[in-house]
Amino acid sequence: MQLRFRNRYGSKVWVAIMFYSPDGCRDYGQWGTRGWWAIDPGGEAFVLNTNNRYAAYYAEAANGAVWTGAYGPMYVYQNAFDSCINIGSTAARRVGTRLIDMNGYSTYYVNLVA
């Protein structure tokens, strides 16, 4: 399954994801984390190819809007990152994420809107 994001918001948006990764993050919570994809208004980004049903995301816009939720927390960094859920540092912020259920889709689109 492919996970893609569409920016249907009026400002540039940056996206970070959390995804099941039992091999890569075996000793660190079994969930991988990655960010950031910068998506201009009207743009789209491919972020993950997976066989797993669930993923989660956090996003923030240039104007200060955020897409957060009750899942996680996830550690995000100021610059691009590729890590695991239980690896944090003083350079990271803790954020909540929104759950994505991709069951039955070959390509799943998350539309970021107000």
Side-chain angles (χ1 to χ4, degrees), residues 13-78:
V13 174
W14 288 267
V15 174
I17 62 168
M18 183 170 65
F19 56 96
Y20 188 61
S21 181
D23 294 330
C25 293
R26 176 181 7 261
D27 297 329
Y28 302 101
Q30 298 189 347
W31 285 76
T33 59
R34 288 186 193 147
W36 297 97
W37 287 267
I39 311 170
D40 289 320
E44 181 179 307
F46 164 77
V47 301
L48 183 67
N49 193 22
T50 184
N51 291 322
N52 297 302
R53 178 177 176 176
Y54 296 104
Y57 73 96
Y58 167 82
E60 53 190 43
N63 68 358
V66 295
W67 290 259
T68 187
Y71 294 89
M74 176 172 77
Y75 293 97
V76 297
Y77 299 82
Q78 186 65 30

Side-chain angles (χ1 to χ4, degrees), residues 1-5 18-20 31 48 50-57 71 97-111:
M1 290 175 275
Q2 290 188 355
L3 177 59
R4 295 178 175 268
F5 283 80
M18 183 170 65
F19 56 96
Y20 188 61
W31 285 76
L48 183 67
T50 184
N51 291 322
N52 297 302
R53 178 177 176 176
Y54 296 104
Y57 73 96
Y71 294 89
T97 63
R98 293 186 181 186
L99 188 66
I100 302 166
D101 183 351
M102 299 180 283
N103 190 36
Y105 293 91
S106 59
T107 301
Y108 190 90
Y109 290 92
V110 175
N111 291 304

